[in-house]
Amino acid sequence: MAAIQNPSTRTSSEFTPETARGLTRSRSKGLGVGNFVRSDPFTIGGYIWCIRYFPDGMITGDGEGFIGVSLELLSINTEVRSLYKFALVDEVTSSTWSCWSTRYPVLFSTIDMSKPNHAWGIPHFKKRSQLERSEYLRNDSILITCDVTAVMPPQAGMILGVQVPPSDLSANFGTLLESGEGADVPFSAQGEVFPAHKVVLAARSPVFKAQLFGPVGEGNRERITIEDMQPPVFKALIHFVYTDSLPAMGT
């Protein structure tokens, strides 16, 4: 087995993928169907990978007569989505043959090893009869490369590479309450009137929802009188409904 080349890494796209190449140089046959050899491990995106090579086929049945290859995630108890591309390489001319790649990122996971998704590949990579007649078989060995692109998740606070500003939703609703703009239901507490918005109150409180849209408040929705509550207390209550916070004392 040959040593793995130093990974070459590049970044692109809004998801900042990282790409590296692993390789395996192995004898062309002699292990039996379903048996494989592993390349030396290589690292990309902080994850450890290797190439599996099945010289006598990955699966029985229609997989026999083909060599198979797969990419295996070796990092334990983790998962990552990755693109990968396999190719046979002529060491003399550096030409490639039988390239095969994924079109979309594939989920690799080692969280539950009873499931097979820690390794993905192709059982019909190349017919053995074609391989044995080609210049890619030299001294009874072949060279296979695998380009791996780990599609890294966006960092916290990042969506598609755009910085997400801190939330000011509660401040916006507080401003809406203070301005009274668009208010459609007035509350009265001991003669003091508090304009409010039905949809905000209903979304935030099942009690207000029943009062404003359900049978509980039917016939009493144009102006709602609050009994047995001081105006400052009701004002604090409405402020909390809109902003999830209590107003400063004395306001």
Side-chain angles (χ1 to χ4, degrees):
M1 192 77 62
I4 298 301
Q5 297 172 338
N6 292 328
S8 59
T9 304
R10 64 178 182 268
T11 60
S12 61
S13 160
E14 64 271 22
F15 288 106
T16 315
E18 299 180 3
T19 300
R21 170 171 292 185
L23 62 83
T24 181
R25 185 180 292 107
S26 306
R27 295 182 62 83
S28 64
K29 60 183 177 180
L31 293 182
V33 176
N35 296 314
F36 59 87
V37 292
R38 284 188 174 97
S39 71
D40 292 336
F42 58 98
T43 302
I44 178 62
Y47 302 91
I48 304 173
W49 309 84
C50 75
I51 301 170
R52 287 179 174 184
Y53 168 58
F54 299 76
D56 295 315
M58 186 184 297
I59 56 176
T60 58
D62 65 352
E64 296 183 56
F66 291 83
I67 62 171
V69 288
S70 65
L71 175 65
E72 180 181 8
L73 176 64
L74 296 178
S75 298
I76 61 173
N77 197 32
T78 190
E79 59 184 25
V80 60
R81 292 188 181 275
S82 296
L83 296 159
Y84 55 92
K85 175 183 177 181
F86 290 108
L88 279 170
V89 179
D90 187 327
E91 293 185 76
V92 175
T93 66
S94 296
S95 61
T96 59
W97 184 43
S98 191
C99 293
W100 186 90
S101 61
T102 55
R103 296 181 59 187
Y104 306 102
V106 176
L107 177 64
F108 289 80
S109 176
T110 56
I111 294 177
D112 184 355
M113 292 302 291
S114 66
K115 298 180 180 179
N117 57 344
H118 59 283
W120 293 93
I122 177 170
H124 306 97
F125 183 57
K126 178 56 63 179
K127 282 188 176 181
R128 171 167 301 284
S129 59
Q130 293 178 328
L131 174 64
E132 291 177 344
R133 296 193 303 266
S134 74
E135 67 275 16
Y136 291 86
L137 178 61
R138 296 181 183 275
N139 299 319
D140 197 32
S141 68
I142 61 172
L143 176 63
I144 299 174
T145 63
C146 183
D147 290 340
V148 183
T149 302
V151 182
M152 308 302 293
Q155 298 179 355
M158 299 289 290
I159 297 178
L160 301 182
V162 178
Q163 182 69 41
V164 179
S167 173
D168 58 357
L169 186 63
S170 61
N172 292 336
F173 274 95
T175 301
L176 179 67
L177 175 63
E178 291 177 6
S179 70
E181 184 177 359
D184 54 1
V185 57
F187 288 82
S188 176
Q190 294 187 1
E192 188 170 344
V193 178
F194 300 90
H197 305 79
K198 291 180 181 179
V199 292
V200 176
L201 298 176
R204 295 282 290 147
S205 167
V207 175
F208 280 128
K209 182 177 181 180
Q211 176 70 36
L212 296 169
F213 295 102
V216 174
E218 190 171 356
N220 184 31
R221 291 172 179 160
E222 297 305 315
R223 185 185 184 95
I224 299 176
T225 301
I226 304 300
E227 306 289 349
D228 301 325
M229 185 176 292
Q230 296 292 324
V233 176
F234 183 74
K235 181 179 180 180
L237 171 63
I238 293 295
H239 186 276
F240 181 82
V241 170
Y242 273 71
T243 68
D244 247 358
S245 66
L246 292 174
M249 297 299 295
T251 61

